[in-house]
């Protein structure tokens, strides 16, 4: 009961309205807000499975992350690369995180395909297009090259937990990009490419255990730029679903103006590096 716990669980299509969720969290009688991360139709399967399990006496464990989709081996990535008819350049990187951080710090967008695919509508570092949010114009560049969407639609920041403690007000769990927060004034000029004109951002706080490599990349960005923050948007073109397989990623990569793709440990480029 809300009056006893001051905690609210929210699901359904309306729960994906991040501004509404910020408004709910501002209510004096709501201290914690949990938004089911796949609140649209795809979440119905999860709800049905949870209902049946609970009715059969199973103890349903809390959802710790949404990296629940398929992952692909190095062998599968190599097979996809070798099938390409386009002139394709790739190399296996000994330190893929370092290479990715260098590309991002130099001001380039990066397609990032790592580990298991996310469940739900948000790209959370498994199938993402990334940029350095302190690079002027990076959001417009991603829009022009890949997304072709209205500029008023803000891109989202993925952040380290220690950065989140300074960045968002009030402090609240934010693992799934389901709530907007007021960005601290001291941070708005540091990462302008991911702050909406009203001073808010739809933040993802990245948990190290949930996605170690994405967390490592944020740490590398912290070292190279002083900001443990990345612009994060879904790995797809306008009107298409988020990519799933290596073949999907390569089709999308060669169908847009992106120049860099980190396909697991493989750096894929259109020109020799």
């Amino acid at each position: 009961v809300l009056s006893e716990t001051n905690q609210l669980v929210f699901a359904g299509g309306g729960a994906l309205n991040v501004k509404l969720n910020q408004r709910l969290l501002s209510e004096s009688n709501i201290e914690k807000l949990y938004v089911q991360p796949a609140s649209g139709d795809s979440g119905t399967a999860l709800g049905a499975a949870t209902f049946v399990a609970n009715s059969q006496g199973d103890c349903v464990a809390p959802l710790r992350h949404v990296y629940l989709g398929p992952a692909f081996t190095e062998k599968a990535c190599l097979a996809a690369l070798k099938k390409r008819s386009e002139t394709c350049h790739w190399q296996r990187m000994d330190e893929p995180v370092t290479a990715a951080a260098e590309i991002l710090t130099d001001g380039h967008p990066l397609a990032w395909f790592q580990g298991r695919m996310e469940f739900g509508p948000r790209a959370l570092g498994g199938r993402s297009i990334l940029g350095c949010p302190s690079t002027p114009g990076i959001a417009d560049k991603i829009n022009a090259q890949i997304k072709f969407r209205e500029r008023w639609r803000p891109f989202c920041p993925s952040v380290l937990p220690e950065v989140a403690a300074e960045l968002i007000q009030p402090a609240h769990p934010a693992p799934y990009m389901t709530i907007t927060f007021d960005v601290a004034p001291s941070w708005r000029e540091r990462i302008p490419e991911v702050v909406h004109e009203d001073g808010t951002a739809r933040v993802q706080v990245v948990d190290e255990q949930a996605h170690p490599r994405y967390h490592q990349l944020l740490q590398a960005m912290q070292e190279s730029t002083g900001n443990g923050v990345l612009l994060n948007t879904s790995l797809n073109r306008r009107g298409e679903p988020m990519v799933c397989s290596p073949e999907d990623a390569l089709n999308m990569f060669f169908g847009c103006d992106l120049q860099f793709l980190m396909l697991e440990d493989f750096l894929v480029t259109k020109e020799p590096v």
Side-chain angles (χ1 to χ4, degrees), residues 99-129:
E102 290 177 356
I103 291 166
L104 291 162
T105 302
D106 287 343
H108 303 290
L110 173 68
W112 176 255
F113 181 106
Q114 302 290 321
R116 298 183 68 175
M117 185 181 180
E118 304 90 336
F119 171 56
R122 310 295 188 208
L124 299 171
R127 305 289 185 271
S128 292
I129 298 169

Side-chain angles (χ1 to χ4, degrees), residues 23-269:
R23 178 71 176 82
L24 288 171
L25 196 55
S26 69
E27 293 294 312
S28 60
N29 63 333
I30 298 177
E31 295 178 2
K32 290 185 178 180
L33 173 64
Y34 177 79
V35 179
Q36 207 277 81
S39 290
D41 291 345
S42 61
T44 305
L46 178 62
T50 302
F51 176 80
V52 172
N54 184 68
S55 66
Q56 296 297 316
D58 287 353
C59 182
V60 180
L63 186 68
R64 300 298 185 189
H65 62 80
V66 292
Y67 304 107
L68 303 172
F72 297 87
T73 63
E74 178 177 309
K75 182 178 179 181
C77 293
L78 267 176
L81 286 164
K82 291 176 179 178
K83 286 181 185 176
R84 298 306 304 184
S85 59
E86 296 93 343
T87 300
C88 183
H89 304 273
W90 76 85
Q91 55 184 309
R92 190 182 189 282
M93 309 302 294
D94 292 332
E95 297 184 4
V97 169
T98 300
E102 290 177 356
I103 291 166
L104 291 162
T105 302
D106 287 343
H108 303 290
L110 173 68
W112 176 255
F113 181 106
Q114 302 290 321
R116 298 183 68 175
M117 185 181 180
E118 304 90 336
F119 171 56
R122 310 295 188 208
L124 299 171
R127 305 289 185 271
S128 292
I129 298 169
L130 306 176
C132 177
S134 59
T135 299
I138 191 67
D140 287 333
K141 191 172 185 178
I142 290 174
N143 262 333
Q145 289 184 350
I146 314 110
K147 304 298 284 190
F148 307 111
R149 68 180 194 175
E150 302 91 341
R151 183 60 183 94
W152 60 264
R153 296 180 183 272
F155 290 103
C156 303
S158 296
V159 306
L160 291 169
E162 55 268 32
V163 171
E166 301 177 17
L167 184 73
I168 58 177
Q169 307 167 19
H172 188 274
Y176 305 128
M177 287 185 184
T178 53
I179 307 172
T180 54
F181 297 89
D182 294 326
V183 176
S186 61
W187 275 89
R188 293 177 188 177
E189 293 184 0
R190 292 173 65 173
I191 52 170
E193 298 294 299
V194 290
V195 179
H196 193 42
E197 61 183 17
D198 65 359
T200 65
R202 189 179 72 192
V203 175
Q204 174 203 6
V205 182
V206 177
D207 179 73
E208 182 177 9
Q209 292 184 337
H211 202 318
R213 178 166 285 191
Y214 195 35
H215 187 271
Q216 290 169 9
L217 180 57
L218 283 163
Q219 289 180 317
M221 294 303 293
Q222 175 77 37
E223 294 173 4
S224 63
T225 69
N227 300 325
V229 184
L230 280 166
L231 180 155
N232 178 6
T233 188
S234 56
L235 185 55
N236 64 284
R237 292 175 296 188
R238 183 179 181 180
E240 297 180 353
M242 201 184 310
V243 308
C244 176
S245 68
E247 290 83 1
D248 294 339
L250 290 168
N251 286 337
M252 183 261 176
F253 181 65
F254 284 103
C256 69
D257 291 335
L258 273 169
Q259 299 300 311
F260 299 94
L261 163 64
M262 191 61 70
L263 184 68
E264 296 297 347
D265 290 348
F266 295 97
L267 175 60
V268 186
T269 61

